[in-house]
Amino acid sequence: MISMKLPKNYEAGEYESDIYALWEKSRVFVANPDSDKEHYSISMPPPNETGTLSLGHALFITLQDILARHARQQGKDVLWLPGTDHAALPVNAIIEKQLLDEGTNKHEVGREEFLRRTREFVGNSRNTMLSQMRAMGASADWTRLRYTLDDTLNRCVNETFVKMYGDGLIYRGNRIVNWDPNLETNVSDDEVIYTEEKGKFYTFKYGPFEIGTARPETKFGDKYVVMHPDDKRYAEYNHGDTFEVEWINGPITATIIKDEAADPNFGTGVMTITPWHSLVDFEIAERHGLDKQQIISFHGKLLQIAGEFADMPIHDARPLIVDKLAKKGLLVKTDDNYVHNVAINERGKGVIEPQIRLQWFVDVNKTVVLWKGKRQSLKEVLQSVIRDEDIELIPERFQKVYFNWIDNLRDWCISRQIWWGHRIPVWYRSDTDGKEETYVGVKPPTDQSEGWHEWEQDPDTLDTWFSSALWTWSTLIDQRLAEDYSLSLEDLLERSPDFKAYHPTNVMETGWDILFFWVARMILSTTYVTGQIPFKDIYLHGMVRAEDGKKMSKSRPESIIDPESIISEYGTDALRMALVMGVSPGNDQNWGRGKVAANRNFCNKLWNIARYIESVVDEGSRGGDAKPTSAADHWITNRLRISQEKITDDLDKYRFSEAYARLYRFIWDDLADWYIETSKAEPNSPLLIYLLESVLVLAHPFAPFVTETIWQTLAWHDNAVLASQPISTIINSDDDQARNFSELQAIVSEARSITKSLKVNNVKLLHENQPFLEENSAIIKQLARLQAVSPATNTDSHDGIYLTATRYKCWLDIDKAKAKAYVREIAAKKAIQESSIAQLESRLKNKNYLENAPSAVVDQTKQQLEAAQDLLVTLQAEEQRFSTS
């Protein structure tokens, strides 16, 4: 017998840190761009440096790690490139709050001190996040760790900005933006969320018209009345007509504007516009060359145009403005139950106030981009790469959402009024006569011409998504080459081995919620800069929700599950497999601790299988000597082949849950419940060793720690790390022999079911001289827990309960009277269930019950009905079986 033994219980915490250290020491995760192997790469979505690992992080780490480990098993050179995100807006908000708590602000401490504090904060958060990613088993190449604010990425960001500016894709202009008065910065369209709010909707008299609004505080500058050109109700009015109207602060001259943006079916079909504070109104004003006037300041207060209401916060001023209009006789009516959506900055939680600002934008409609030999706009490239199947989007149903987003895409505001991030690579200066000059460059300008003031860099930073959009290729630039500014961006791409070997990446695995934030912008920027797609596949996973299906939230502390607490109690593998169980592309999953406990049991099952095999194999046996000899041997090797093929195919197609379910069934049902129990009669040592090694390799991508721990204790191999092992070579099996064992399984299963149902022991299985049953009598006896399996003699009764699941004529020597008594019991149970089902169905047909009972109670009733119906089906099947025995 071998000398190395596994302890009785698997305690994950005793092994996991040592196992990870072993992997890092072995350098099995380090990629080699010079390798002759097929290259495979994944760019890890860099988590924000704002805290600790969440279940969402744990999910993407698990799925990507499965892909990376699986690819290594297929003999590929794998680069899973890790990194972290400087998370401009969230980090900026945290530091500003810290300063506020100290009684100061960023303007008082200054930019340099603010940035020093921020670097210190993110440095600590980064180290915490990286250690937690290792704890999750992430087999990433840590020698290539990247950061969205490091020097090389900063150069790539500046190079991209300068290139886009030179091609006319980036411009500076006065356009409407999403302004957050709380954080005092613009935010991206995709960072704006909408919350439903109940408020008031006012209808006012405006000269001969009636207009409606929920925001009377914006109406001080309204001097244009817009109507649809085809609205027959207002055919008497011509575009450009003017008229006098009494308004908030006195009479004004109003102008008629005919524009198709007016909806004839909404309200009176007439509206006034506030171009400075509404995107729709801004676009109308742009089309017709209308005046634009700011009403609300960048701090959320009314400006001097508001007269007596100047300097008042808008919410305080609103009822006073309505009251003034009412006293003038201009208030027609008020709707107190108006429900509308309020725009909120998802990051800073401030209410968005649209404002016109001089900012930097990316033009998504300008046609300059060359992609596959075509001149296209950025918007057209975003469409064509999916439509032409250059990139596969999984699940496919997200294509509709994707194209709808692109159809409504407007120019992207990329400047932010915060200090943490990539500073815009633009400098300004002026001479004594007020002449201004702008310089756009990768590095600061060096020109010191006389008569000019010093160059001053634009104080704004770039949208985080502008820099992270370069992630798949900027992280592959050789960092030493990037220090040489004599090299062009094209030179850097051409001379960087990692870029040549690993780009485009194979897959972008991320959450569906950042499809537009990040994934689409990576396609936009990468195709423009490199002429390549950033990835071949996009796999979108769903959100991990609380057990009740609601979003995990700090406002509900009980809903949040901390991955670290799960790992310390159950082990990392149990957490990983629980996350994979039931995961499907694009669908959210509800999550509770019960899933983890079930998967810890699976880890224990693997451990116990290994302990058993180690305890019975012969000294000196090797898996390489394995040959199937019995029907059971042929059956299990056949099952292994089928499982391995299907699991490989599932993972190749991102069917994570299906792959894990197959693995689970093979190990728990086929190997543990059937083959190992069968092998106890006569163990085939080399085959048991081969099966254990094969199972460890197959399970390794899902449960890397427990499988590696077992692997390192095996005395029959050279202890190379399991993480570097290829998929096992399949041993040939005989299909006829495998089918024979399937026949044996059918006999055992039916015999077990009958004896369990009838609660009988010491039962014999008799047959009429069947050689197959005679040859396998010992196995059938052991597995079915029978007294004996033997040919019937002249004195044996042939009047037992015959087995129907096998082609061999055999029966259990059970008195049929017992079966008839059991049928009577079943009939009584059926009657109870039928009565219960009738009552539950009647309750669910009662409208009063459905309308008045709490939803949780109704759901419970539905569950009770479903359970009762399932039980009735089982009873009916049992009745059928024994009634015909």
Side-chain angles (χ1 to χ4, degrees):
M1 306 298 287
I2 61 174
S3 57
M4 181 66 73
K5 298 293 183 183
L6 290 170
K8 183 177 181 180
N9 298 312
Y10 173 61
E11 299 294 341
E14 294 182 10
Y15 303 99
E16 290 185 351
S17 60
D18 290 339
I19 289 296
Y20 201 92
L22 173 68
W23 289 331
E24 290 207 82
K25 183 179 178 181
S26 72
R27 296 180 62 82
V28 69
F29 305 153
V30 178
N32 178 13
D34 297 325
S35 172
D36 293 332
K37 297 178 179 179
E38 178 185 346
H39 299 300
Y40 181 92
S41 59
I42 304 174
S43 290
M44 178 188 293
N48 290 351
E49 297 178 334
T50 54
T52 57
L53 201 70
S54 69
L55 273 183
H57 294 123
L59 175 60
F60 88 67
I61 290 171
T62 297
L63 297 182
Q64 291 172 36
D65 187 58
I66 289 171
L67 293 175
R69 291 179 187 270
H70 174 63
R72 290 191 194 97
Q73 290 181 338
Q74 293 176 311
K76 298 174 184 177
D77 167 55
V78 176
L79 171 59
W80 182 20
L81 191 144
T84 56
D85 191 341
H86 66 281
L89 270 177
V91 169
N92 190 87
I94 290 171
I95 303 303
E96 288 207 39
K97 184 178 185 305
Q98 289 178 358
L99 291 172
L100 185 64
D101 292 341
E102 295 173 16
T104 185
N105 59 58
K106 69 177 185 180
H107 301 291
E108 291 182 5
V109 301
R111 189 165 193 144
E112 289 307 312
E113 172 60 16
F114 181 88
L115 293 178
R116 185 198 66 77
R117 284 173 173 247
T118 307
R119 291 189 193 99
E120 181 180 352
F121 169 78
V122 298
N124 294 332
S125 293
R126 183 185 309 136
N127 292 334
T128 299
M129 183 67 73
L130 294 178
S131 67
Q132 292 177 333
M133 289 159 71
R134 284 178 165 89
M136 277 300 302
S139 61
D141 185 347
W142 300 107
T143 68
R144 288 173 165 85
L145 177 65
R146 296 293 185 264
Y147 174 43
T148 54
L149 208 55
D150 68 25
D151 291 341
T152 301
L153 269 68
N154 183 248
R155 177 176 176 183
C156 292
V157 168
N158 291 343
E159 293 272 11
T160 302
F161 186 98
V162 172
K163 178 176 171 62
M164 296 183 85
Y165 179 81
D167 284 342
L169 289 173
I170 284 181
Y171 66 91
R172 194 178 189 218
N174 285 292
R175 296 186 62 83
I176 201 114
V177 298
N178 301 306
W179 177 256
D180 179 353
N182 284 5
L183 291 184
E184 297 184 346
T185 183
N186 312 325
V187 296
S188 166
D189 290 347
D190 297 317
E191 289 171 315
V192 176
I193 59 174
Y194 295 90
T195 59
E196 200 172 81
E197 187 177 284
K198 184 178 178 181
K200 295 184 178 182
F201 189 82
Y202 307 96
T203 301
F204 297 112
K205 187 170 181 60
Y206 191 86
F209 307 105
E210 289 185 357
I211 62 167
T213 183
R215 303 191 63 200
E217 67 275 7
T218 67
K219 295 299 176 182
F220 289 95
D222 285 14
K223 56 183 179 181
Y224 301 105
V225 179
V226 183
M227 56 193 66
H228 197 282
D230 298 330
D231 194 331
K232 295 180 180 179
R233 290 173 294 179
Y234 306 110
E236 63 186 281
Y237 298 100
N238 298 312
H239 180 81
D241 286 352
T242 60
F243 61 93
E244 297 297 312
V245 59
E246 178 63 28
W247 198 224
I248 306 173
N249 287 333
I252 61 172
T253 300
T255 302
I256 299 292
I257 301 296
K258 297 282 183 127
D259 193 282
E260 292 181 355
D263 183 359
N265 298 315
F266 181 78
T268 62
V270 171
M271 63 181 183
T272 58
I273 58 173
T274 311
W276 200 284
H277 299 288
S278 162
L279 173 60
V280 173
D281 296 359
F282 174 83
E283 291 175 342
I284 293 172
E286 286 284 281
R287 282 195 291 273
H288 300 284
L290 309 180
D291 294 337
K292 309 176 188 74
Q293 191 167 13
Q294 187 175 5
I295 311 298
I296 300 169
S297 76
F298 298 123
H299 301 290
K301 295 183 179 181
L302 290 169
L303 295 171
Q304 293 305 310
I305 188 177
E308 66 197 85
F309 306 105
D311 296 325
M312 291 184 66
I314 56 178
H315 285 287
D316 294 343
R318 184 178 297 166
L320 301 179
I321 296 168
V322 173
D323 184 58
K324 183 175 182 177
L325 286 166
K327 290 177 179 177
K328 285 190 169 192
L330 300 178
L331 176 63
V332 178
K333 62 181 178 179
T334 300
D335 180 356
D336 293 322
N337 296 307
Y338 178 64
V339 178
H340 62 126
N341 289 323
V342 177
I344 304 290
N345 174 10
E346 185 178 23
R347 305 291 181 178
K349 306 306 179 186
V351 176
I352 293 298
E353 181 60 64
Q355 295 274 14
I356 295 176
R357 292 177 56 83
L358 180 61
Q359 297 296 301
W360 290 96
F361 295 86
V362 172
D363 189 333
V364 297
N365 294 297
K366 187 177 179 66
T367 305
V368 297
V369 180
L370 295 175
W371 169 245
K372 298 176 73 173
K374 301 176 183 177
R375 288 180 59 83
Q376 295 179 305
S377 69
L378 295 172
K379 182 184 284 190
E380 288 169 336
V381 171
L382 284 171
Q383 294 168 327
S384 66
V385 293
I386 300 295
R387 187 171 290 124
D388 297 343
E389 300 182 347
D390 296 303
I391 299 175
E392 182 179 359
L393 181 58
I394 305 166
E396 188 177 350
R397 71 175 187 274
F398 272 84
Q399 283 193 16
K400 183 178 180 180
V401 181
Y402 177 86
F403 287 122
N404 181 65
W405 175 80
I406 295 171
D407 290 341
N408 293 284
L409 185 63
R410 63 190 180 106
D411 287 358
W412 172 18
C413 178
I414 56 174
S415 46
R416 300 289 179 266
Q417 291 63 54
I418 58 177
W419 289 347
W420 179 240
H422 293 274
R423 197 164 176 179
I424 292 176
V426 177
W427 287 261
Y428 312 99
R429 68 177 182 178
S430 61
D431 64 11
T432 53
D433 296 327
K435 178 184 177 182
E436 292 186 341
E437 186 175 1
T438 299
Y439 174 83
V440 179
V442 176
K443 298 195 77 175
T446 57
D447 177 30
Q448 300 294 330
S449 302
E450 291 187 13
W452 290 87
H453 297 294
E454 290 186 7
W455 290 101
E456 291 187 6
Q457 187 173 359
D458 195 306
D460 289 354
T461 54
L462 288 163
D463 180 9
T464 299
W465 302 107
F466 184 90
S467 55
S468 59
L470 318 180
W471 186 246
T472 64
W473 64 266
S474 61
T475 53
L476 300 176
I477 296 294
D478 187 293
Q479 293 183 302
R480 287 170 295 182
L481 289 175
E483 296 172 3
D484 184 355
Y485 278 81
S486 68
L487 297 174
S488 67
L489 181 57
E490 290 74 16
D491 290 335
L492 292 178
L493 292 169
E494 182 63 30
R495 294 172 60 177
S496 295
D498 281 358
F499 177 79
K500 300 285 284 183
Y502 301 113
H503 202 272
T505 59
N506 288 75
V507 60
M508 172 49 60
E509 191 288 322
T510 190
W512 60 260
D513 55 321
I514 57 173
L515 174 60
F516 310 125
F517 280 126
W518 189 43
V519 178
R521 300 191 194 282
M522 280 192 283
I523 296 173
L524 180 152
S525 297
T526 305
T527 52
Y528 167 71
V529 175
T530 71
Q532 297 180 1
I533 53 175
F535 25 71
K536 298 167 188 173
D537 296 331
I538 302 168
Y539 177 91
L540 302 175
H541 65 248
M543 295 176 64
V544 181
R545 296 185 175 275
E547 202 161 8
D548 59 4
K550 296 179 181 178
K551 191 174 182 179
M552 293 185 185
S553 170
K554 291 179 180 178
S555 62
R556 298 192 306 144
E558 73 283 355
S559 70
I560 297 177
I561 297 178
D562 176 18
E564 283 193 292
S565 67
I566 295 288
I567 290 172
S568 62
E569 184 175 355
Y570 297 96
T572 300
D573 292 331
L575 171 59
R576 287 167 60 107
M577 291 185 289
L579 286 166
V580 172
M581 181 183 286
V583 71
S584 60
N587 293 324
D588 297 346
Q589 59 170 307
N590 300 349
W591 216 83
R593 285 177 173 261
K595 293 178 71 175
V596 191
N599 285 284
R600 180 179 58 183
N601 294 339
F602 184 60
C603 292
N604 292 335
K605 175 64 73 171
L606 270 173
W607 190 261
N608 289 331
I609 289 171
R611 287 183 67 239
Y612 166 75
I613 292 176
E614 284 190 345
S615 71
V616 301
V617 298
D618 297 329
E619 184 87 41
S621 293
R622 291 289 184 271
D625 302 328
K627 291 180 181 178
T629 57
S630 67
D633 293 348
H634 285 279
W635 175 81
I636 195 64
T637 52
N638 180 266
R639 293 297 302 158
L640 174 63
R641 176 186 59 79
I642 293 171
S643 298
Q644 190 181 91
E645 289 173 353
K646 289 186 175 180
I647 289 169
T648 297
D649 185 59
D650 283 336
L651 292 182
D652 287 344
K653 295 176 180 175
Y654 311 110
R655 297 192 294 255
F656 298 97
S657 181
E658 291 88 336
Y660 176 53
R662 293 186 200 281
L663 174 74
Y664 190 99
R665 289 194 298 270
F666 174 75
I667 291 176
W668 200 288
D669 298 338
D670 297 344
L671 182 60
D673 285 358
W674 284 106
Y675 182 74
I676 284 181
E677 288 301 312
T678 303
S679 75
K680 289 178 180 178
E682 190 175 341
N684 181 337
S685 290
L687 188 62
L688 282 168
I689 292 171
Y690 163 78
L691 288 169
L692 178 57
E693 290 179 339
S694 298
V695 161
L696 293 177
V697 171
L698 203 56
H700 182 71
F702 302 91
F705 286 107
V706 66
T707 53
E708 186 72 72
T709 301
I710 295 170
W711 186 268
Q712 291 304 314
T713 68
L714 303 181
W716 53 72
H717 64 66
D718 60 7
N719 285 87
V721 291
L722 174 58
S724 65
Q725 298 301 306
I727 294 175
S728 303
T729 302
I730 291 297
I731 296 174
N732 291 328
S733 60
D734 183 283
D735 289 344
D736 289 336
Q737 290 261 43
R739 280 192 288 272
N740 282 339
F741 188 76
S742 297
E743 188 77 26
L744 186 149
Q745 283 181 295
I747 293 169
V748 169
S749 297
E750 189 173 10
R752 283 178 179 175
S753 176
I754 292 172
T755 55
K756 181 181 178 181
S757 296
L758 299 182
K759 298 184 178 69
V760 293
N761 299 310
N762 300 319
V763 175
K764 294 179 183 178
L765 178 68
L766 302 175
H767 59 87
E768 294 183 346
N769 295 313
Q770 302 286 346
F772 175 77
L773 298 181
E774 190 65 24
E775 291 167 9
N776 293 283
S777 60
I779 293 175
I780 296 172
K781 175 184 174 183
Q782 178 179 321
L783 294 181
R785 294 180 286 277
L786 299 171
Q787 182 184 2
V789 176
S790 60
T793 66
N794 292 333
T795 59
D796 288 320
S797 171
H798 286 234
D799 194 28
I801 297 178
Y802 280 77
L803 302 191
T804 59
T806 176
R807 66 178 184 270
Y808 297 107
K809 189 173 183 179
C810 56
W811 63 95
L812 296 171
D813 64 337
I814 299 174
D815 185 353
K816 283 192 174 181
K818 290 184 178 180
K820 292 178 180 178
Y822 183 60
V823 169
R824 289 193 292 272
E825 289 180 26
I826 292 174
K829 291 178 180 178
K830 270 181 55 187
I832 294 171
Q833 289 306 308
E834 288 166 348
S835 174
S836 176
I837 289 170
Q839 291 177 357
L840 293 168
E841 287 178 336
S842 174
R843 191 180 304 168
L844 290 171
K845 289 177 182 177
N846 187 320
K847 290 185 179 179
N848 290 332
Y849 174 73
L850 295 175
E851 292 173 359
N852 299 320
S855 59
V857 174
V858 174
D859 289 342
Q860 185 180 26
T861 304
K862 291 178 180 177
Q863 292 169 5
Q864 289 172 341
L865 175 60
E866 187 177 340
Q869 289 170 333
D870 289 344
L871 179 54
L872 180 61
V873 170
T874 301
L875 291 170
Q876 289 170 336
E878 283 285 272
E879 183 180 47
Q880 177 67 23
R881 175 210 292 272
F882 290 105
S883 296
T884 57
S885 296

